[in-house]
Amino acid sequence: MCVMACVAPVAGSVSVAAAEPVPVYRNAAVPVEERIDDLLSRMTTREKVLQLNQFYIGTNNNVNNIGEVVNGIPAEVGSLIYFDGDPALRNAMQRRAVEESRLGIPILFGYDVIHGFRTVYPTSLAQACSWNPALVSEACAVAAQEARQSGVDWTFSPMIDVARDPRWGRVVEGYGEDPYVNGVFGAASVRGYQGDNIADSLKVAACLKHYVAYGASEAGRDYVYTEVSPQTLWDTYLLPYQMCVEAGAQTLMSSFNDISGTPGTANHYTLTEVLKDMWGHDGFVVSDWDAVKQLVAQGNAADMKEAALHAFNAGVEMDMMSYAYDHHLEELIAEGKVSPQRLDDAVRRVLRIKMRLGLFENPYTPEVPDRFLRPASRVTAGRLAAESMVLLKNDSTATLPLKEVSKIAVIGPLAKSKADMLGSWHCHGNPDDVTTLYEGIMNEYGNGAEVRYALGVDKDGDDTSGIAEAVEAAAWADVVILHLGEDYRWGGENASRSTIALPAIQEKLAEAVAGTGKPVVLVLSNGRPLDLSRLEPHANAILEAWQPGVNGGDAMAGILSGRINPSGKLAITFPYSTGQIPIYYNRRPTARPFDRQGLYQDITSEPLYPFGHGLSYTTFEYGTPKADRIDFVADDTIEITIPVTNTGDLTGDETVLWFINDPYSSITRPVKELKYFEKKHLSPGETAEYTFRIDPMRDLAMVDGTGRRILEPGEYRVLVADKVLTLNYKGEKLSR
Ligand code: GLC
């Protein structure tokens, strides 16, 4: 299905080349803003409006109708979502824009490059569990290289929506429940995508999404209302965006959700007062798909024309696929409801990004045949897969790492599933590129051990006919590796689930296999946190492998064999049951923290696995934290160190998480807040000093419902492992 023509090419088009010498806007030696001034002065209102539209291309890229597809789209359109994996169609469309339209403004091609373009690496939630931002940047640089060389200049990533309800399918797309973690990994992704200069032919512009508070979707349902107070908006949902805007993200995407009565796509406060006026963001905001038109369904606008008015004047520069701007902006301008200044500011922002990307100088993508799945790219994907995996359980028999096993049963619906290892939003990922757990085990043990496979059951359904064969394989084996989890389509957009437990058929298989009495290693591939309360008793060990991407199989097998020592820690809480949701670590204190007051009467009130949980094959001992001062003033840097020793006999990576707590303040504060983390590699017996350099206004101050940071006199606690160190701020109340 091709995009239907919505306008004819602008009347009176003449080639600019014949009319005059190279105009200022085409002169790369001239400062960007002057070039934009010149170009704006030449543009008609229609041409300006078209720059503020994004349609799509590439759904039907077979050679015999490439011309038709290209002709069906206005050459003056601002942007296209590029569904194709090679630059040919892009270059054909770009040629029409650059060589046939009146002003030759290049098109900006965007796409959802979320966790890899063709070299797919773990999902974002898994990446956060690696606690290795540098490695995430490296992976994003691979994605940028493959994307830009395939015709994509702009990715709709990173998604940095704090999410605390794993019923919401999109929890897989962000970096978990903590604002700081989303900010750190979002910024790392921005650096990986954009590098130092987005005009670089191997870099792309980033897009922070979904601005803002989409992760607060009520009951985990998608596209719905989010109840967000100004206080929570600032101390939870805006923080990652502020960190990523400061990291240089060039664009943002406005969100679907209704933010306490004003949808994210019509929210002047967030889109203009905060983003543009307070933070000085000079890029642009694109709406989410059709989100402008959806303002009508949400009751924010009476019709498409009013939806266009609300979104545009709120601060959304580009309309993705709703045609509201295309159909109504000129009218609104003529009626004086949209000012010429706002129109020019919006177009300026779009042109600024196009110029920063170098699209006027290099509008076409050169063909680079070997751009995908380069050996170094696969190594990066494999390293990130291994570092994102979390060893949740390894019982007293220390089932892992596997020792002296000669008969291995590999059982379960995920063990040979290639597609499910790619996860949701896997872009141009191809299941054929994937190494599964079964293949990883064969690679790891194929020579020394006998391996039997049994499907057991499907991911869902009620067909138990395969359980007998699985039980037989388990009874034969020295150890069972049971690979359970989610279909990749159970996560991502429009994928809410009423329960986070796996389908009963998978629990039945686990129970039957465990009934053989053989040691069971449960490996999980899933997008969201799961309710494992009925599976945990049947497993001697549990490895959360997430949806690990193309090299996931060898990473999983490497951990099971001990070739790789697991280092992942949870960046999101695993509830004991769906009934506990929302449950997250940085909650505010209870009024009755004693005598078991306010707890559930029927189940525990503790999660099954808390934020920060993750086991290693070695052990680490934390010493006593020491601060270079206890009393401090606002401009001090307080340096706190803690020695950590690898007390085991295996090399391992240890991430130290530094939390703070303000036990008493004019706005109540969470029981603890993560403010810094660091991962180090320790050999057996080695002791390393981990240091947290505290900037009181950044790390200790609270933020209020207007975005002001406030440091109040009194005690501040620093928490690291089970240690607590108390600092005292002796100064006056300070706000900035
Ligand atoms: C979708 C998603 C958004 C994505 C966009 C373009 O609806 O909400 O994350 O980037 O449309 O595909």
Side-chain angles (χ1 to χ4, degrees), residues 48-49 51-53 252 254 271-272 275-276 281 283-287 311-312 314-319 325 329 342-343 345-350:
K48 291 177 181 177
V49 167
Q51 283 299 310
L52 306 177
N53 280 272
L252 291 87
S254 68
L271 291 162
T272 295
L275 179 63
K276 297 177 172 71
H281 189 250
F284 69 87
V285 176
V286 62
S287 75
F312 191 69
V316 175
E317 280 72 43
M318 187 178 281
D319 171 8
Y325 286 10
L329 261 193
R342 170 61 187 137
L343 175 67
D345 174 59
V347 179
R348 175 181 297 277
R349 289 169 177 273
V350 173

PDB file of all heavy atoms in Angstrom, residues 48-49 51-53 252 254 271-272 275-276 281 283-287 311-312 314-319 325 329 342-343 345-350:
ATOM      1  N   LYS A  48       6.528  25.778   3.731  1.00  0.00           N
ATOM      2  CA  LYS A  48       6.837  25.714   5.176  1.00  0.00           C
ATOM      3  C   LYS A  48       5.981  24.638   5.853  1.00  0.00           C
ATOM      4  O   LYS A  48       6.487  23.815   6.617  1.00  0.00           O
ATOM      5  CB  LYS A  48       6.583  27.073   5.829  1.00  0.00           C
ATOM      6  CG  LYS A  48       7.570  28.154   5.413  1.00  0.00           C
ATOM      7  CD  LYS A  48       7.226  29.500   6.045  1.00  0.00           C
ATOM      8  CE  LYS A  48       8.209  30.590   5.610  1.00  0.00           C
ATOM      9  NZ  LYS A  48       7.834  31.931   6.162  1.00  0.00           N
ATOM     10  N   VAL A  49       4.694  24.621   5.561  1.00  0.00           N
ATOM     11  CA  VAL A  49       3.809  23.632   6.191  1.00  0.00           C
ATOM     12  C   VAL A  49       4.254  22.217   5.844  1.00  0.00           C
ATOM     13  O   VAL A  49       4.301  21.338   6.705  1.00  0.00           O
ATOM     14  CB  VAL A  49       2.354  23.877   5.749  1.00  0.00           C
ATOM     15  CG1 VAL A  49       1.465  22.692   6.127  1.00  0.00           C
ATOM     16  CG2 VAL A  49       1.821  25.163   6.376  1.00  0.00           C
ATOM     17  N   GLN A  51       7.162  21.111   5.332  1.00  0.00           N
ATOM     18  CA  GLN A  51       8.338  20.708   6.118  1.00  0.00           C
ATOM     19  C   GLN A  51       7.934  20.178   7.489  1.00  0.00           C
ATOM     20  O   GLN A  51       8.712  19.492   8.153  1.00  0.00           O
ATOM     21  CB  GLN A  51       9.278  21.913   6.298  1.00  0.00           C
ATOM     22  CG  GLN A  51      10.107  22.236   5.062  1.00  0.00           C
ATOM     23  CD  GLN A  51      11.009  21.077   4.658  1.00  0.00           C
ATOM     24  OE1 GLN A  51      11.746  20.517   5.478  1.00  0.00           O
ATOM     25  NE2 GLN A  51      10.915  20.682   3.399  1.00  0.00           N
ATOM     26  N   LEU A  52       6.730  20.453   7.908  1.00  0.00           N
ATOM     27  CA  LEU A  52       6.273  20.067   9.250  1.00  0.00           C
ATOM     28  C   LEU A  52       5.437  18.805   9.228  1.00  0.00           C
ATOM     29  O   LEU A  52       4.674  18.520  10.155  1.00  0.00           O
ATOM     30  CB  LEU A  52       5.478  21.229   9.862  1.00  0.00           C
ATOM     31  CG  LEU A  52       6.234  22.559   9.884  1.00  0.00           C
ATOM     32  CD1 LEU A  52       5.359  23.677  10.427  1.00  0.00           C
ATOM     33  CD2 LEU A  52       7.518  22.440  10.713  1.00  0.00           C
ATOM     34  N   ASN A  53       5.581  18.054   8.121  1.00  0.00           N
ATOM     35  CA  ASN A  53       4.832  16.809   7.972  1.00  0.00           C
ATOM     36  C   ASN A  53       5.770  15.639   7.818  1.00  0.00           C
ATOM     37  O   ASN A  53       6.815  15.725   7.173  1.00  0.00           O
ATOM     38  CB  ASN A  53       3.929  16.904   6.741  1.00  0.00           C
ATOM     39  CG  ASN A  53       2.674  17.688   7.041  1.00  0.00           C
ATOM     40  OD1 ASN A  53       1.674  17.134   7.494  1.00  0.00           O
ATOM     41  ND2 ASN A  53       2.719  18.992   6.828  1.00  0.00           N
ATOM     42  N   LEU A 252      12.738  15.213  20.066  1.00  0.00           N
ATOM     43  CA  LEU A 252      11.894  14.479  20.998  1.00  0.00           C
ATOM     44  C   LEU A 252      10.618  14.091  20.264  1.00  0.00           C
ATOM     45  O   LEU A 252      10.272  14.678  19.233  1.00  0.00           O
ATOM     46  CB  LEU A 252      11.521  15.312  22.224  1.00  0.00           C
ATOM     47  CG  LEU A 252      12.627  15.653  23.213  1.00  0.00           C
ATOM     48  CD1 LEU A 252      13.356  16.918  22.801  1.00  0.00           C
ATOM     49  CD2 LEU A 252      12.084  15.810  24.626  1.00  0.00           C
ATOM     50  N   SER A 254       6.489  13.577  21.014  1.00  0.00           N
ATOM     51  CA  SER A 254       5.432  13.825  22.007  1.00  0.00           C
ATOM     52  C   SER A 254       4.599  12.563  22.173  1.00  0.00           C
ATOM     53  O   SER A 254       4.387  11.805  21.242  1.00  0.00           O
ATOM     54  CB  SER A 254       4.550  14.991  21.560  1.00  0.00           C
ATOM     55  OG  SER A 254       3.792  14.634  20.418  1.00  0.00           O
ATOM     56  N   LEU A 271       5.850  20.916  26.538  1.00  0.00           N
ATOM     57  CA  LEU A 271       6.469  21.039  25.207  1.00  0.00           C
ATOM     58  C   LEU A 271       7.140  22.395  24.993  1.00  0.00           C
ATOM     59  O   LEU A 271       8.108  22.500  24.234  1.00  0.00           O
ATOM     60  CB  LEU A 271       5.403  20.828  24.129  1.00  0.00           C
ATOM     61  CG  LEU A 271       4.842  19.418  24.006  1.00  0.00           C
ATOM     62  CD1 LEU A 271       3.529  19.424  23.237  1.00  0.00           C
ATOM     63  CD2 LEU A 271       5.836  18.483  23.334  1.00  0.00           C
ATOM     64  N   THR A 272       6.634  23.444  25.617  1.00  0.00           N
ATOM     65  CA  THR A 272       7.228  24.758  25.387  1.00  0.00           C
ATOM     66  C   THR A 272       7.812  25.365  26.662  1.00  0.00           C
ATOM     67  O   THR A 272       9.000  25.675  26.713  1.00  0.00           O
ATOM     68  CB  THR A 272       6.172  25.714  24.781  1.00  0.00           C
ATOM     69  OG1 THR A 272       5.819  25.222  23.479  1.00  0.00           O
ATOM     70  CG2 THR A 272       6.724  27.124  24.644  1.00  0.00           C
ATOM     71  N   LEU A 275      10.458  22.419  27.976  1.00  0.00           N
ATOM     72  CA  LEU A 275      11.466  21.965  27.000  1.00  0.00           C
ATOM     73  C   LEU A 275      12.176  23.142  26.321  1.00  0.00           C
ATOM     74  O   LEU A 275      13.414  23.142  26.229  1.00  0.00           O
ATOM     75  CB  LEU A 275      10.794  21.089  25.943  1.00  0.00           C
ATOM     76  CG  LEU A 275      11.682  20.544  24.831  1.00  0.00           C
ATOM     77  CD1 LEU A 275      12.758  19.623  25.394  1.00  0.00           C
ATOM     78  CD2 LEU A 275      10.845  19.806  23.778  1.00  0.00           C
ATOM     79  N   LYS A 276      11.429  24.124  25.868  1.00  0.00           N
ATOM     80  CA  LYS A 276      12.041  25.203  25.091  1.00  0.00           C
ATOM     81  C   LYS A 276      12.471  26.365  25.985  1.00  0.00           C
ATOM     82  O   LYS A 276      13.607  26.832  25.912  1.00  0.00           O
ATOM     83  CB  LYS A 276      11.073  25.663  24.000  1.00  0.00           C
ATOM     84  CG  LYS A 276      10.726  24.573  22.947  1.00  0.00           C
ATOM     85  CD  LYS A 276       9.698  25.073  21.944  1.00  0.00           C
ATOM     86  CE  LYS A 276       9.470  24.092  20.785  1.00  0.00           C
ATOM     87  NZ  LYS A 276       8.759  22.881  21.143  1.00  0.00           N
ATOM     88  N   HIS A 281      15.914  23.864  24.613  1.00  0.00           N
ATOM     89  CA  HIS A 281      16.102  22.882  23.539  1.00  0.00           C
ATOM     90  C   HIS A 281      15.895  23.551  22.185  1.00  0.00           C
ATOM     91  O   HIS A 281      14.892  24.234  21.976  1.00  0.00           O
ATOM     92  CB  HIS A 281      15.114  21.720  23.698  1.00  0.00           C
ATOM     93  CG  HIS A 281      15.402  20.589  22.752  1.00  0.00           C
ATOM     94  ND1 HIS A 281      14.596  20.252  21.685  1.00  0.00           N
ATOM     95  CD2 HIS A 281      16.451  19.718  22.693  1.00  0.00           C
ATOM     96  CE1 HIS A 281      15.127  19.226  21.027  1.00  0.00           C
ATOM     97  NE2 HIS A 281      16.254  18.881  21.635  1.00  0.00           N
ATOM     98  N   GLY A 283      16.172  21.878  19.111  1.00  0.00           N
ATOM     99  CA  GLY A 283      15.783  20.952  18.038  1.00  0.00           C
ATOM    100  C   GLY A 283      14.280  20.987  17.854  1.00  0.00           C
ATOM    101  O   GLY A 283      13.643  22.014  18.104  1.00  0.00           O
ATOM    102  N   PHE A 284      13.696  19.850  17.439  1.00  0.00           N
ATOM    103  CA  PHE A 284      12.248  19.896  17.258  1.00  0.00           C
ATOM    104  C   PHE A 284      11.554  18.692  17.873  1.00  0.00           C
ATOM    105  O   PHE A 284      12.204  17.699  18.227  1.00  0.00           O
ATOM    106  CB  PHE A 284      11.895  20.018  15.765  1.00  0.00           C
ATOM    107  CG  PHE A 284      12.178  18.807  14.915  1.00  0.00           C
ATOM    108  CD1 PHE A 284      11.241  17.785  14.788  1.00  0.00           C
ATOM    109  CD2 PHE A 284      13.369  18.686  14.213  1.00  0.00           C
ATOM    110  CE1 PHE A 284      11.487  16.671  13.996  1.00  0.00           C
ATOM    111  CE2 PHE A 284      13.626  17.587  13.412  1.00  0.00           C
ATOM    112  CZ  PHE A 284      12.689  16.572  13.309  1.00  0.00           C
ATOM    113  N   VAL A 285      10.238  18.818  17.994  1.00  0.00           N
ATOM    114  CA  VAL A 285       9.400  17.741  18.530  1.00  0.00           C
ATOM    115  C   VAL A 285       8.540  17.183  17.400  1.00  0.00           C
ATOM    116  O   VAL A 285       7.885  17.932  16.674  1.00  0.00           O
ATOM    117  CB  VAL A 285       8.476  18.247  19.648  1.00  0.00           C
ATOM    118  CG1 VAL A 285       7.528  17.142  20.133  1.00  0.00           C
ATOM    119  CG2 VAL A 285       9.307  18.777  20.822  1.00  0.00           C
ATOM    120  N   VAL A 286       8.598  15.862  17.220  1.00  0.00           N
ATOM    121  CA  VAL A 286       7.697  15.199  16.289  1.00  0.00           C
ATOM    122  C   VAL A 286       6.600  14.526  17.116  1.00  0.00           C
ATOM    123  O   VAL A 286       6.884  14.059  18.233  1.00  0.00           O
ATOM    124  CB  VAL A 286       8.446  14.155  15.424  1.00  0.00           C
ATOM    125  CG1 VAL A 286       9.054  13.042  16.283  1.00  0.00           C
ATOM    126  CG2 VAL A 286       7.533  13.567  14.360  1.00  0.00           C
ATOM    127  N   SER A 287       5.389  14.508  16.616  1.00  0.00           N
ATOM    128  CA  SER A 287       4.335  13.821  17.382  1.00  0.00           C
ATOM    129  C   SER A 287       4.528  12.321  17.241  1.00  0.00           C
ATOM    130  O   SER A 287       5.210  11.858  16.329  1.00  0.00           O
ATOM    131  CB  SER A 287       2.965  14.177  16.800  1.00  0.00           C
ATOM    132  OG  SER A 287       2.776  13.477  15.571  1.00  0.00           O
ATOM    133  N   ALA A 311      -1.961  21.139  19.021  1.00  0.00           N
ATOM    134  CA  ALA A 311      -0.632  20.499  19.013  1.00  0.00           C
ATOM    135  C   ALA A 311       0.431  21.491  18.567  1.00  0.00           C
ATOM    136  O   ALA A 311       1.483  21.627  19.189  1.00  0.00           O
ATOM    137  CB  ALA A 311      -0.640  19.286  18.092  1.00  0.00           C
ATOM    138  N   PHE A 312       0.134  22.230  17.496  1.00  0.00           N
ATOM    139  CA  PHE A 312       1.165  23.115  16.942  1.00  0.00           C
ATOM    140  C   PHE A 312       1.486  24.246  17.900  1.00  0.00           C
ATOM    141  O   PHE A 312       2.646  24.526  18.186  1.00  0.00           O
ATOM    142  CB  PHE A 312       0.710  23.682  15.594  1.00  0.00           C
ATOM    143  CG  PHE A 312       1.810  24.383  14.846  1.00  0.00           C
ATOM    144  CD1 PHE A 312       2.870  23.662  14.321  1.00  0.00           C
ATOM    145  CD2 PHE A 312       1.815  25.764  14.713  1.00  0.00           C
ATOM    146  CE1 PHE A 312       3.910  24.298  13.653  1.00  0.00           C
ATOM    147  CE2 PHE A 312       2.851  26.413  14.045  1.00  0.00           C
ATOM    148  CZ  PHE A 312       3.901  25.677  13.517  1.00  0.00           C
ATOM    149  N   ALA A 314       1.051  24.220  21.044  1.00  0.00           N
ATOM    150  CA  ALA A 314       1.610  23.690  22.303  1.00  0.00           C
ATOM    151  C   ALA A 314       3.110  23.489  22.176  1.00  0.00           C
ATOM    152  O   ALA A 314       3.851  23.589  23.152  1.00  0.00           O
ATOM    153  CB  ALA A 314       0.944  22.366  22.659  1.00  0.00           C
ATOM    154  N   GLY A 315       3.573  23.184  20.919  1.00  0.00           N
ATOM    155  CA  GLY A 315       5.005  22.998  20.753  1.00  0.00           C
ATOM    156  C   GLY A 315       5.409  21.747  20.017  1.00  0.00           C
ATOM    157  O   GLY A 315       6.562  21.323  20.084  1.00  0.00           O
ATOM    158  N   VAL A 316       4.471  21.129  19.289  1.00  0.00           N
ATOM    159  CA  VAL A 316       4.831  19.989  18.427  1.00  0.00           C
ATOM    160  C   VAL A 316       5.128  20.536  17.038  1.00  0.00           C
ATOM    161  O   VAL A 316       4.239  21.081  16.378  1.00  0.00           O
ATOM    162  CB  VAL A 316       3.684  18.963  18.345  1.00  0.00           C
ATOM    163  CG1 VAL A 316       4.021  17.851  17.355  1.00  0.00           C
ATOM    164  CG2 VAL A 316       3.407  18.390  19.727  1.00  0.00           C
ATOM    165  N   GLU A 317       6.363  20.398  16.591  1.00  0.00           N
ATOM    166  CA  GLU A 317       6.742  20.978  15.308  1.00  0.00           C
ATOM    167  C   GLU A 317       6.327  20.125  14.123  1.00  0.00           C
ATOM    168  O   GLU A 317       6.004  20.643  13.049  1.00  0.00           O
ATOM    169  CB  GLU A 317       8.264  21.204  15.257  1.00  0.00           C
ATOM    170  CG  GLU A 317       8.740  22.462  15.966  1.00  0.00           C
ATOM    171  CD  GLU A 317       8.675  22.379  17.467  1.00  0.00           C
ATOM    172  OE1 GLU A 317       9.056  21.319  18.018  1.00  0.00           O
ATOM    173  OE2 GLU A 317       8.228  23.339  18.119  1.00  0.00           O
ATOM    174  N   MET A 318       6.401  18.771  14.274  1.00  0.00           N
ATOM    175  CA  MET A 318       6.158  17.918  13.118  1.00  0.00           C
ATOM    176  C   MET A 318       5.052  16.921  13.422  1.00  0.00           C
ATOM    177  O   MET A 318       5.018  16.312  14.486  1.00  0.00           O
ATOM    178  CB  MET A 318       7.451  17.169  12.740  1.00  0.00           C
ATOM    179  CG  MET A 318       7.368  16.370  11.459  1.00  0.00           C
ATOM    180  SD  MET A 318       8.935  15.564  11.042  1.00  0.00           S
ATOM    181  CE  MET A 318       9.837  16.943  10.333  1.00  0.00           C
ATOM    182  N   ASP A 319       4.158  16.749  12.470  1.00  0.00           N
ATOM    183  CA  ASP A 319       2.987  15.868  12.605  1.00  0.00           C
ATOM    184  C   ASP A 319       3.303  14.544  11.921  1.00  0.00           C
ATOM    185  O   ASP A 319       3.453  14.503  10.697  1.00  0.00           O
ATOM    186  CB  ASP A 319       1.799  16.563  11.934  1.00  0.00           C
ATOM    187  CG  ASP A 319       0.575  15.659  11.825  1.00  0.00           C
ATOM    188  OD1 ASP A 319       0.589  14.549  12.411  1.00  0.00           O
ATOM    189  OD2 ASP A 319      -0.383  16.051  11.135  1.00  0.00           O
ATOM    190  N   TYR A 325      -1.749  18.651  10.171  1.00  0.00           N
ATOM    191  CA  TYR A 325      -1.007  19.876   9.780  1.00  0.00           C
ATOM    192  C   TYR A 325      -1.132  20.103   8.277  1.00  0.00           C
ATOM    193  O   TYR A 325      -1.355  21.206   7.798  1.00  0.00           O
ATOM    194  CB  TYR A 325       0.474  19.728  10.150  1.00  0.00           C
ATOM    195  CG  TYR A 325       0.796  19.854  11.614  1.00  0.00           C
ATOM    196  CD1 TYR A 325      -0.197  19.877  12.596  1.00  0.00           C
ATOM    197  CD2 TYR A 325       2.116  19.960  12.041  1.00  0.00           C
ATOM    198  CE1 TYR A 325       0.123  19.985  13.943  1.00  0.00           C
ATOM    199  CE2 TYR A 325       2.456  20.067  13.394  1.00  0.00           C
ATOM    200  CZ  TYR A 325       1.442  20.074  14.342  1.00  0.00           C
ATOM    201  OH  TYR A 325       1.752  20.171  15.685  1.00  0.00           O
ATOM    202  N   LEU A 329      -3.058  23.533   8.690  1.00  0.00           N
ATOM    203  CA  LEU A 329      -2.169  24.597   9.194  1.00  0.00           C
ATOM    204  C   LEU A 329      -2.286  25.887   8.382  1.00  0.00           C
ATOM    205  O   LEU A 329      -2.361  26.980   8.945  1.00  0.00           O
ATOM    206  CB  LEU A 329      -0.707  24.138   9.199  1.00  0.00           C
ATOM    207  CG  LEU A 329      -0.135  23.657  10.540  1.00  0.00           C
ATOM    208  CD1 LEU A 329       1.375  23.539  10.438  1.00  0.00           C
ATOM    209  CD2 LEU A 329      -0.533  24.568  11.706  1.00  0.00           C
ATOM    210  N   ARG A 342       5.465  31.662  15.028  1.00  0.00           N
ATOM    211  CA  ARG A 342       5.475  30.259  15.477  1.00  0.00           C
ATOM    212  C   ARG A 342       5.754  29.351  14.286  1.00  0.00           C
ATOM    213  O   ARG A 342       6.508  28.397  14.377  1.00  0.00           O
ATOM    214  CB  ARG A 342       4.148  29.908  16.140  1.00  0.00           C
ATOM    215  CG  ARG A 342       3.919  28.435  16.452  1.00  0.00           C
ATOM    216  CD  ARG A 342       4.926  27.853  17.398  1.00  0.00           C
ATOM    217  NE  ARG A 342       4.746  26.398  17.525  1.00  0.00           N
ATOM    218  CZ  ARG A 342       5.752  25.525  17.529  1.00  0.00           C
ATOM    219  NH1 ARG A 342       7.006  25.965  17.426  1.00  0.00           N
ATOM    220  NH2 ARG A 342       5.521  24.222  17.649  1.00  0.00           N
ATOM    221  N   LEU A 343       5.153  29.683  13.145  1.00  0.00           N
ATOM    222  CA  LEU A 343       5.388  28.862  11.944  1.00  0.00           C
ATOM    223  C   LEU A 343       6.879  28.880  11.602  1.00  0.00           C
ATOM    224  O   LEU A 343       7.503  27.835  11.419  1.00  0.00           O
ATOM    225  CB  LEU A 343       4.570  29.405  10.772  1.00  0.00           C
ATOM    226  CG  LEU A 343       4.805  28.715   9.427  1.00  0.00           C
ATOM    227  CD1 LEU A 343       4.306  27.277   9.457  1.00  0.00           C
ATOM    228  CD2 LEU A 343       4.127  29.491   8.283  1.00  0.00           C
ATOM    229  N   ASP A 345       9.422  29.607  13.473  1.00  0.00           N
ATOM    230  CA  ASP A 345      10.247  28.956  14.506  1.00  0.00           C
ATOM    231  C   ASP A 345      10.218  27.442  14.317  1.00  0.00           C
ATOM    232  O   ASP A 345      11.246  26.779  14.386  1.00  0.00           O
ATOM    233  CB  ASP A 345       9.734  29.320  15.902  1.00  0.00           C
ATOM    234  CG  ASP A 345      10.488  28.537  16.988  1.00  0.00           C
ATOM    235  OD1 ASP A 345      11.727  28.683  17.063  1.00  0.00           O
ATOM    236  OD2 ASP A 345       9.852  27.723  17.693  1.00  0.00           O
ATOM    237  N   ALA A 346       9.040  26.916  14.024  1.00  0.00           N
ATOM    238  CA  ALA A 346       8.919  25.455  13.847  1.00  0.00           C
ATOM    239  C   ALA A 346       9.738  24.991  12.654  1.00  0.00           C
ATOM    240  O   ALA A 346      10.496  24.020  12.735  1.00  0.00           O
ATOM    241  CB  ALA A 346       7.452  25.087  13.668  1.00  0.00           C
ATOM    242  N   VAL A 347       9.615  25.704  11.532  1.00  0.00           N
ATOM    243  CA  VAL A 347      10.358  25.312  10.327  1.00  0.00           C
ATOM    244  C   VAL A 347      11.846  25.477  10.554  1.00  0.00           C
ATOM    245  O   VAL A 347      12.654  24.620  10.159  1.00  0.00           O
ATOM    246  CB  VAL A 347       9.894  26.139   9.112  1.00  0.00           C
ATOM    247  CG1 VAL A 347      10.690  25.752   7.868  1.00  0.00           C
ATOM    248  CG2 VAL A 347       8.406  25.930   8.870  1.00  0.00           C
ATOM    249  N   ARG A 348      12.211  26.543  11.263  1.00  0.00           N
ATOM    250  CA  ARG A 348      13.630  26.756  11.558  1.00  0.00           C
ATOM    251  C   ARG A 348      14.218  25.582  12.302  1.00  0.00           C
ATOM    252  O   ARG A 348      15.313  25.113  12.014  1.00  0.00           O
ATOM    253  CB  ARG A 348      13.811  28.038  12.380  1.00  0.00           C
ATOM    254  CG  ARG A 348      15.231  28.307  12.850  1.00  0.00           C
ATOM    255  CD  ARG A 348      15.320  29.580  13.677  1.00  0.00           C
ATOM    256  NE  ARG A 348      14.968  30.764  12.899  1.00  0.00           N
ATOM    257  CZ  ARG A 348      15.857  31.403  12.102  1.00  0.00           C
ATOM    258  NH1 ARG A 348      17.082  30.932  11.966  1.00  0.00           N
ATOM    259  NH2 ARG A 348      15.506  32.478  11.437  1.00  0.00           N
ATOM    260  N   ARG A 349      13.476  25.062  13.273  1.00  0.00           N
ATOM    261  CA  ARG A 349      13.954  23.933  14.081  1.00  0.00           C
ATOM    262  C   ARG A 349      14.170  22.696  13.209  1.00  0.00           C
ATOM    263  O   ARG A 349      15.160  21.972  13.375  1.00  0.00           O
ATOM    264  CB  ARG A 349      12.957  23.663  15.214  1.00  0.00           C
ATOM    265  CG  ARG A 349      12.974  24.734  16.291  1.00  0.00           C
ATOM    266  CD  ARG A 349      11.811  24.602  17.267  1.00  0.00           C
ATOM    267  NE  ARG A 349      11.895  25.597  18.306  1.00  0.00           N
ATOM    268  CZ  ARG A 349      12.580  25.438  19.451  1.00  0.00           C
ATOM    269  NH1 ARG A 349      13.224  24.306  19.674  1.00  0.00           N
ATOM    270  NH2 ARG A 349      12.635  26.391  20.365  1.00  0.00           N
ATOM    271  N   VAL A 350      13.264  22.432  12.325  1.00  0.00           N
ATOM    272  CA  VAL A 350      13.416  21.273  11.437  1.00  0.00           C
ATOM    273  C   VAL A 350      14.614  21.475  10.502  1.00  0.00           C
ATOM    274  O   VAL A 350      15.469  20.587  10.366  1.00  0.00           O
ATOM    275  CB  VAL A 350      12.123  21.043  10.633  1.00  0.00           C
ATOM    276  CG1 VAL A 350      12.326  19.959   9.584  1.00  0.00           C
ATOM    277  CG2 VAL A 350      10.961  20.670  11.564  1.00  0.00           C
TER     278      VAL A 350
END
